[in-house]
């Protein structure tokens, strides 16, 4: 049963039973009775932290509404669940969102009905390797056990594209593992995974914990040499940046690939609600940055730049208000 349907059934049962053990919000006139679900990502990723912080801000500052962040397989799953109405708000990588909106890639022939509230912080592609696996350069991944992230996640998509850009078929030239970040880090520690890709903000909690668990046991490899072939094939959705050495206490900055992140919703969301949800992102951004530093890394000037995903009219009205 879908999460939203389950919530509605439980609410109905409680109402019939006259149960007062759970706090009830007046839902009259509110979208979905005032209950909002946010699709995030793996529990040790930045999506989960940011999504949880955003949910708290909505519950605290949007009268009548209560929001809850849900752990998911991230971008691809998030978009599908918003499009089907099982979730109300989702975080997603920009490249996955573009494919979904156009009905390409994993969404071939099935364009998803989504609109955007904002472009927020950037995700950095991490290629983390076990030093004992003797991987010192990208080509050393051949024949290794490589986790590309949860099936259908944005990390899974971009990892496959990067492997192709580097001359490796992700399904035949490496032993591909499609594992969540918590499963991946366990595999790295157990020696059953040799390397992994993950796209996330800085620092990503699960990666930080892994690196700290064995300071000399792991390394992050640069990916900047693969940016040109990647961007040539897929366009400017990908760009270059450095993972600063302060992020994970590495010896040097690490050149890598970055992707924008969008917050998306259904086009059926009421305009005023979309406006207010967008407003909360900026009015209470300082509070969100306390949850995770990436909560402070977006601004009103670039947030409307969600092409090719159209802005929700409510979000567009917020940005045009000055």
């Amino acid at each position: 049963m879908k999460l939203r349907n389950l919530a509605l059934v439980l609410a109905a049962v409680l109402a019939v039973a006259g149960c007062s053990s759970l706090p009830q919000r007046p839902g009259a006139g509110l979208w979905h009775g005032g209950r909002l679900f946010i699709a995030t990502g793996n529990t040790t990723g930045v999506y989960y932290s940011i999504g949880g912080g955003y949910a708290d801000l909505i519950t605290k500052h949007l009268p009548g509404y209560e929001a809850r962040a849900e752990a998911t397989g991230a971008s691809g799953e998030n978009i599908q669940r918003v499009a089907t109405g099982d979730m109300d708000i989702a975080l997603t990588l920009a490249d996955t969102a573009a494919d979904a909106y156009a009905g390409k890639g994993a969404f071939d022939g099935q364009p998803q009905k989504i609109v955007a509230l904002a472009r927020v912080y950037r995700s950095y592609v991490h290629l983390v390797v076990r030093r004992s696996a003797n991987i010192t350069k990208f080509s050393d991944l051949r024949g290794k056990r490589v986790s590309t992230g949860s099936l259908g996640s944005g990390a899974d998509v971009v990892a496959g594209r990067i492997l192709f850009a580097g001359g490796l078929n992700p399904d035949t030239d490496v032993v591909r593992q499609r594992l969540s970040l918590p499963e991946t880090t366990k595999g790295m520690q157990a020696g059953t995974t040799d390397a992994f890709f993950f796209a996330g903000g800085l620092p990503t909690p699960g990666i930080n914990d892994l690196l700290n668990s064995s300071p000399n046991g792991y390394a992050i490899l640069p990916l900047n040499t693969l940016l040109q072939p990647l961007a040539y094939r897929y366009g400017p959705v990908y760009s270059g940046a450095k993972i600063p050495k302060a992020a994970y206490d590495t010896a040097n900055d690490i050149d890598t690939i970055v992707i924008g992140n969008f917050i998306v919703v259904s086009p059926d969301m009421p305009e005023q609600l979309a406006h207010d949800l967008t407003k909360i992102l900026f009015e209470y951004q300082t509070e969100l940055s306390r949850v995770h530093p990436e909560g402070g890394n977006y601004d009103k000037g670039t947030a409307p730049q969600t092409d090719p995903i159209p802005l929700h009219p409510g979000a567009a009205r917020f940005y045009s208000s000055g």
Side-chain angles (χ1 to χ4, degrees):
M1 180 180 288
K2 290 182 177 180
L3 181 60
R4 174 166 301 289
N5 292 341
L6 178 60
L8 292 175
V9 169
L10 289 173
V13 169
L14 290 173
V16 170
C19 178
S20 59
S21 61
L22 292 176
Q24 300 295 308
R25 290 181 179 271
L30 300 177
W31 201 51
H32 294 161
R35 291 181 175 85
L36 299 177
F37 294 97
I38 304 176
T40 62
N42 297 167
T43 54
T44 57
V46 178
Y47 276 5
Y48 190 72
S49 299
I50 292 292
Y54 190 27
D56 290 343
L57 292 178
I58 293 168
T59 301
K60 182 179 178 181
H61 298 293
L62 193 57
Y65 281 94
E66 182 173 1
R68 191 171 85 184
E70 296 292 331
T72 67
S75 298
E77 177 185 335
N78 291 356
I79 289 172
Q80 290 177 328
R81 295 181 73 175
V82 163
T84 60
D86 190 40
M87 291 281 172
D88 304 294
I89 305 164
L91 286 149
T92 176
L93 289 174
D95 57 347
T96 303
D99 283 354
Y101 185 72
K104 296 180 179 178
F107 302 91
D108 188 32
Q110 297 179 317
Q112 304 292 297
K113 291 178 59 180
I114 54 170
V115 290
L117 296 185
R119 171 187 287 269
V120 286
Y121 67 95
R122 300 185 299 177
S123 279
Y124 294 70
V125 182
H126 300 65
L127 172 54
V128 183
V129 301
R130 276 194 306 111
R131 292 187 187 274
S132 60
N134 297 316
I135 303 169
T136 59
K137 57 185 183 300
F138 189 85
S139 59
D140 291 337
L141 291 174
R142 186 179 297 274
K144 302 297 186 180
R145 297 164 295 182
V146 181
S147 174
T148 57
S150 302
L151 179 63
S153 67
D156 189 36
V157 172
V158 72
R161 290 176 175 179
I162 290 172
L163 285 165
F164 266 121
L168 296 175
N169 185 312
D171 297 314
T172 60
D173 291 333
V174 301
V175 180
R176 190 172 193 171
Q177 300 175 332
R178 285 185 160 111
L179 304 174
S180 69
L181 184 55
E183 292 170 328
T184 295
T185 55
K186 287 179 182 177
M188 293 285 280
Q189 291 172 321
T192 56
T193 298
D194 300 315
F196 71 91
F197 289 88
F198 191 79
L202 299 178
T204 293
I207 296 175
N208 197 43
D209 291 345
L210 176 69
L211 298 179
N212 287 335
S213 72
S214 179
N216 296 315
Y218 309 99
I220 304 175
L221 297 190
L223 292 168
N224 55 302
T225 59
L226 300 175
L227 176 59
Q228 185 174 355
L230 193 68
Y232 177 79
R233 182 165 184 177
Y234 297 105
V237 68
Y238 301 110
S239 57
K242 295 179 183 294
I243 298 175
K245 59 184 180 182
Y248 298 108
D249 195 24
T250 53
N252 301 291
D253 296 344
I254 301 163
D255 290 302
T256 193
I257 295 163
V258 291
I259 319 161
N261 288 295
F262 296 162
I263 295 178
V264 299
V265 299
S266 166
D268 298 329
M269 176 178 281
E271 182 178 333
Q272 188 60 45
L273 177 58
H275 173 276
D276 293 344
L277 289 173
T278 309
K279 184 179 180 182
I280 282 173
L281 286 170
F282 295 91
E283 277 201 350
Y284 304 101
Q285 186 173 9
T286 300
E287 292 183 41
L288 191 58
S289 69
R290 294 191 191 112
V291 175
H292 191 281
E294 294 290 13
N297 290 335
Y298 59 89
D299 59 67
K300 198 172 178 181
T302 58
Q305 298 172 13
T306 59
D307 187 67
I309 315 303
L311 284 173
H312 190 292
R317 177 161 61 87
F318 169 79
Y319 295 120
S320 66
S321 64

